[in-house]
Amino acid sequence: MADIKSEDLFLNRAKFVMKLLGVWVPCSDETKFHKFYRFFMMTLQYLFLFFQIIYIVQVWGDLEAVSQASYLLFTQASLCFKVTVFQVNVKSLRELLKRMNDKIFLPQSSKQNRILSLQAKRIKRLLLAFMISSQTTCGLWALKPLFDDPGSRKFPFDMWMPVTPQSSPHYEFGYAFQLLTICMSAYMYFGVDSVALSMVIFACGQIDIIKDKILKINSIRKESGDEMSRRIVASDNNKKLIECIRQHQAVVLFKELLENTYHTYLLFQLVGSVGLICMSALRILVVEWRSIQFFSIVTYLSVMISQLFVCCWCGHELTATSEDLHTVFYRSTWYEQDVRFQRCLCFAMMRLGQPLVLRAGHYIPLSRQTFVSVRRMDKTSLPTT
């Protein structure tokens, strides 16, 4: 059976985007040029955040100006925090990538290949929709000063800039800086989220493979032949059961390492989304609905909600896939196996009854219930008329 490299199956898009932006896991023999390129790309993001902070300080006291700039400030702050966490935890990420390609996680049949491929397609489609919507939002932001304020020379975003829009080429340089940096921010968002969330769905695929393995265990009673043949089948079944248990233990350790690596940015994303959605919804109430700015805020709001949903959906899929694992083990032909198999299965089911839960900040479980709770919190935070 040809091996599928799970790292490429689940993370090929994320790796391509993040390598292009210079923030992927550096190789052991990284050149000085690549180090400088990564430093330059990270500096652009932090400069964008720094310029926004300066602008907030300058307009402090003007509620409308502060609210208009705040949602972009928190978005960029979230991006910088995510990328920083990604870079700081490179060692843990290398270990996660290594475990994804471990022998114990390799598919052993065409059906198991299809299980992993299907899971990879599911998460890729959701993340691709997120990437397209985020780039659409960036395009609308770029068009805002051209259509909402025709004839005037304004930058796409209200932020402090070391150049002035009244003169050339300062205006063109500043416009290009803001537009390119925010587009790169959206792609970095996509890349970092793709790595963490795709690994969660990879764990779901491995649990589905365990279910497939345990249901294919043969019955000893139906085995024709002498006593020696039945013993061989029984021994083979015990090996398959132990293999399933070891694979489940590997999935549990993989999930724990994944949570330890990215729990801080997941918590930041979850808590920050509440404020970002509320501020965006408030901006809609005071912006002319026929303006480009209105549509840009609407698309931005949909992007933030979809991003929050994908995070919670991945956590929910992990829990939902693992919570019935002990039931699937019970559906196997355990009653037609030897005593050793039944004893081992009994101990295994005691552990399998505990579903895997992905938690943000080691505290908040990521699930559909959490997504609904956050949406209710957003609604109650909005003023009523």
Side-chain angles (χ1 to χ4, degrees), residues 70 75 78 91 209 213 225 259 276 302 318 376:
S70 293
T75 304
S78 178
K91 184 177 180 180
I209 289 177
K213 288 181 178 180
E259 182 177 310
L276 290 171
S302 65
L318 179 63
R376 287 176 179 172

Side-chain angles (χ1 to χ4, degrees), residues 72-87:
L72 185 61
L73 171 68
F74 285 112
T75 304
Q76 188 64 20
S78 178
L79 181 275
C80 290
F81 182 79
K82 284 185 175 185
V83 176
T84 302
V85 170
F86 187 87
Q87 294 295 322

Side-chain angles (χ1 to χ4, degrees), residues 330-348:
Y330 184 77
R331 284 164 47 198
S332 65
T333 57
W334 59 269
Y335 47 85
E336 296 181 349
Q337 307 297 328
D338 59 7
V339 177
R340 179 187 176 189
F341 184 99
Q342 295 172 354
R343 187 185 300 113
C344 186
L345 181 66
C346 183
F347 284 107

Side-chain angles (χ1 to χ4, degrees), residues 107-280:
Q108 299 175 359
S109 66
S110 58
K111 182 178 180 180
Q112 294 175 12
N113 274 331
R114 289 194 299 269
I115 289 174
L116 290 181
S117 298
L118 178 61
Q119 293 287 10
K121 288 179 181 178
R122 293 175 69 196
I123 187 61
K124 282 182 177 180
R125 287 170 183 170
L126 288 174
L127 292 171
L128 179 62
F130 166 74
M131 183 180 67
I132 293 174
S133 58
S134 62
Q135 290 301 319
T136 302
T137 303
C138 293
L140 291 174
W141 277 337
L143 295 175
K144 179 175 70 71
L146 302 178
F147 286 86
D148 290 350
D149 302 299
S152 63
R153 298 172 68 118
K154 288 185 177 180
F155 293 131
F157 306 108
D158 293 329
M159 57 187 291
W160 180 86
M161 292 288 290
V163 295
T164 175
Q166 278 70 38
S167 60
S168 296
H170 291 180
Y171 173 69
E172 290 78 8
F173 176 78
Y175 202 103
F177 167 78
Q178 289 192 2
L179 180 58
L180 292 176
T181 304
I182 200 65
C183 288
M184 288 188 294
S185 298
Y187 278 118
M188 285 187 184
Y189 248 114
F190 165 79
V192 176
D193 285 349
S194 294
V195 171
L197 301 181
S198 296
M199 287 182 175
V200 176
I201 300 302
F202 166 77
C204 295
Q206 291 300 323
I207 294 175
D208 286 336
I209 289 177
I210 295 174
K211 295 177 181 179
D212 177 70
K213 288 181 178 180
I214 199 67
L215 291 177
K216 287 184 176 179
I217 290 181
N218 298 321
S219 171
I220 298 178
R221 295 179 183 177
K222 295 181 180 180
E223 186 67 26
S224 60
D226 54 10
E227 184 66 23
M228 182 62 66
S229 299
R230 291 190 177 91
R231 289 183 180 180
I232 294 175
V233 174
S235 177
D236 185 58
N237 289 344
N238 278 284
K239 290 179 180 179
K240 289 180 180 179
L241 176 60
I242 294 174
E243 180 184 350
C244 290
I245 295 173
R246 288 177 176 172
Q247 186 171 355
H248 178 263
Q249 291 175 337
V251 173
V252 173
L253 294 175
F254 181 84
K255 172 261 171 187
E256 290 177 353
L257 179 58
L258 178 63
E259 182 177 310
N260 291 334
T261 305
Y262 296 116
H263 73 97
T264 52
Y265 108 64
L266 290 173
L267 178 63
F268 193 91
Q269 176 68 42
L270 195 64
V271 176
S273 295
V274 178
L276 290 171
I277 293 173
C278 290
M279 285 186 288
S280 300

